[in-house]
Every structure is written in structure tokens, then in C-alpha cells.
Amino acid sequence: MSEQNVQQVYNLPRIGDPAPSFEVNTTHGPIKLEDYKGQWLVLFSHPADFTPVCTTEFVGFQEIYPQLRELDTELLGLSIDSTQSHIAWVRNIEQNFNTDIEFPVIADLSKEVAMKYGMIHPNDGGTEASRAVFVIDPDQVIKAIIYYPLTTGRNMDEIVRLVKALQTTVNHSVSTPANWKPGDKVLVPPPASQQQAEERMKEEGIEVIDWYLAKKELKED
Amino acid sequence: MACIKSELTLAPSEVKLFLNTVNDSKVNLDDIKNQINKPLFKIKSALRELTETNYMTETDGYYVISDKGKTYLAENK
């Protein structure tokens, strides 16, 4: 096989996989993935510092950071830039937008983390990281993945909604319907047998639309 | 890559904060977490950095300031 045809194949992490470990330099000093054990983590990548869409996103991520922290969720950014570049950009954002970026940003110059998480999509961004979001649970298992192209800024409200929905699922063993938001009814697991289906149709206290689709109010703990 | 590298990535105020927290007695992560108003990842990272650079020692989950840490505090009041 010629050198030109040799391609390195990476196993990209999928939902349900253990989050690939890392030890990295960040704007807050050296950090290991395991430093977040016991908490939820939103790990996101952006293409490059000092670029327009990314700058609007960073302001947006900082705006949702207090909400995420209330959900015991930390935020960690990443791009293939140096710590010095990140520091300069974060200071620039503070000057231009009066926004103090409080979460750390990984300086992944070696692309080690970006490769492990499949953040580089060569046909969209060349060697830059795409707009990836990984939601990682307290046991450091990947619970959700979002990818956006370089041209399109992410929806911050959706990221908060996603974390809330995932935590609701974990804490209450339920699913959440389309456009669910806290306070809305949740979905109960569908019957696993014909007898269960029969009884589900007569069940009181839940909204049965059909035997396989039923909603209920979530009682607050 | 920078042409010169600091021994620590922690700011002087952070070094003093963590060293002062372990200065009086040996404390564990929970004790430190209750005393320092910082995110947990930041506390874990700072403790690792300060033990790796010998400003404090860690044994069985308990942190104790080292002679180097005491000297730092004395010189940086």
C-alpha cells in the first residue's frame, strides 16, 4: 500500500461508550477527564479562536454556564489552538462583550483529544475541529453527541434542555418527548408484553394515547 | 510552545489559597471543597499540581503542606 493510500482509522466514541480519557493543558491549568468524575460534563469543540461564529458561541456558552452549574454540570471547551491564543481570545471577548469566560478551554495543539472524540471532519473544516458537543454523565459515559458544521452556531438553550432531559431520564427512568421542557409530561416505558399492554389501556393517573404511548406528570422529589 | 515555562499554572493568589487551606492541619478533598469556593475540577487539578511540584504532599487522601510550601507562604505574605 502506498503512503498516499494509508489512512489512520479512529474508533469514534458513540453514545453509551466510556468517554475517552485525556490529560490536557487548559486556560485553567492542567486538567484530566477524571477531575470531572461525579459531575456531568459538557465537552464542546470549536474551529478556531478569533473567528466570528465561535466568538458568538463563547459568549453564549458563558451565558448558560451558571444554569449548567446549577445542574451540577461543568463546561469544557476545546480547539486546536495554543493556551496563549485561548488566553488572548478570552481577554478579547471580555473587552468586546464585557463577558468573563469562566470555564476552561483545552489547548489541543497535538489534536489528541479532537481525534479521540472524532471532532475533526476533514470535508467540512479541514484540520480544524467541527462544532461538536459531548454530554458526559457522572460515571464518564457519553450520553449525547451533537455535531454542527463550521457555518452554524449552536443553540445554547437546546444544550441546557438536553442536559435537563438526560438528567430527568437518569433520575426518573422515563423518556422525554419532542420539544420536552421541564414541567411538561414525560413518557412512560412502553408495555413489554400483551398483558401489560392490556392493563396499560386501563391504567389511571396517566395519559394513555395508545397502548405504546402514554404520558405522565413528573412528581418532584 | 512558549520559550520559557512557569513551574506552576496556578496564579500566586490561588497557590496561597490552597496552601493556607492545608497549612494548619492535614485535610482531605471534602474538607478543602468546603473551604474553597471553586469548582470541584479546579480543586482536584490544583491539588494535583501542588503535590506534583512538591508544595504539599498527599497520603491516603489527606493533604499536608511541605517545607517548600511553607517557605512559599513565608516569602509571599
Side-chain angles (χ1 to χ4, degrees), chain A residues 63-76:
Chain A
E63 282 171 358
I64 63 167
Y65 188 38
Q67 291 178 67
L68 291 174
R69 293 203 65 199
E70 279 181 22
L71 298 169
D72 196 24
T73 303
E74 278 297 335
L75 194 52
L76 178 59

Side-chain angles (χ1 to χ4, degrees), chain A residues 100-190:
Chain A
D100 181 15
I101 302 298
E102 296 174 300
F103 54 85
V105 188
I106 297 172
D108 193 28
L109 273 179
S110 68
K111 301 180 190 172
E112 188 186 336
V113 181
M115 288 296 198
K116 278 184 176 177
Y117 280 80
M119 292 167 168
I120 297 173
H121 294 201
N123 292 332
D124 183 36
T127 56
E128 293 178 338
S130 64
R131 301 186 193 284
V133 178
F134 291 82
V135 184
I136 299 168
D137 79 2
D139 295 325
Q140 312 224 289
V141 171
I142 294 171
K143 303 302 274 190
I145 303 172
I146 304 172
Y147 284 109
Y148 272 49
L150 265 59
T151 51
T152 311
R154 284 160 280 200
N155 185 315
M156 300 301 148
D157 290 340
E158 172 58 10
I159 292 169
V160 176
R161 191 196 75 91
L162 174 61
V163 170
K164 286 178 177 174
L166 291 168
Q167 292 184 349
T168 298
T169 292
V170 168
N171 295 336
H172 300 278
S173 300
V174 293
S175 302
T176 51
N179 300 321
W180 177 88
K181 54 188 187 305
D184 290 352
K185 287 180 178 173
V186 295
L187 298 169
V188 296

Side-chain angles (χ1 to χ4, degrees), chain B residues 1 4 7 18-20 23 26 33 39 45 63 73 75:
Chain B
M1 181 75 73
I4 185 166
E7 182 188 23
F18 280 96
L19 291 181
N20 278 320
N23 196 15
K26 67 176 189 179
K33 203 169 64 180
S45 161
Y63 295 87
L73 283 182
E75 290 175 352

Side-chain angles (χ1 to χ4, degrees), chain A residues 23 28-32 34-37 39 65 69 74-75 84 102 104 109, chain B residues 1-2 4-5 9-10 14 37-42 44-46 48-49 52:
Chain A
E23 184 172 3
H28 288 220
I31 286 177
K32 291 182 179 181
E34 67 195 50
D35 291 338
Y36 294 98
K37 209 163 192 174
Q39 288 184 290
Y65 188 38
R69 293 203 65 199
E74 278 297 335
L75 194 52
Q84 285 73 26
E102 296 174 300
L109 273 179
Chain B
M1 181 75 73
I4 185 166
K5 204 177 165 190
T9 64
L10 292 166
E14 293 175 313
N37 184 26
K38 285 189 179 293
L40 185 57
F41 78 86
K42 181 72 185 173
K44 289 179 179 175
S45 161
R48 188 170 55 248
E49 190 172 354
E52 284 176 358

Side-chain angles (χ1 to χ4, degrees), chain B residues 4-55:
Chain B
I4 185 166
K5 204 177 165 190
S6 305
E7 182 188 23
L8 293 166
T9 64
L10 292 166
S13 64
E14 293 175 313
V15 177
K16 280 196 272 186
L17 176 66
F18 280 96
L19 291 181
N20 278 320
T21 305
V22 301
N23 196 15
D24 296 331
S25 58
K26 67 176 189 179
V27 287
N28 64 19
L29 180 63
D30 284 337
D31 300 325
I32 296 167
K33 203 169 64 180
N34 291 334
Q35 289 181 54
I36 293 181
N37 184 26
K38 285 189 179 293
L40 185 57
F41 78 86
K42 181 72 185 173
I43 293 172
K44 289 179 179 175
S45 161
L47 292 174
R48 188 170 55 248
E49 190 172 354
L50 290 168
T51 50
E52 284 176 358
T53 47
N54 302 316
Y55 284 86

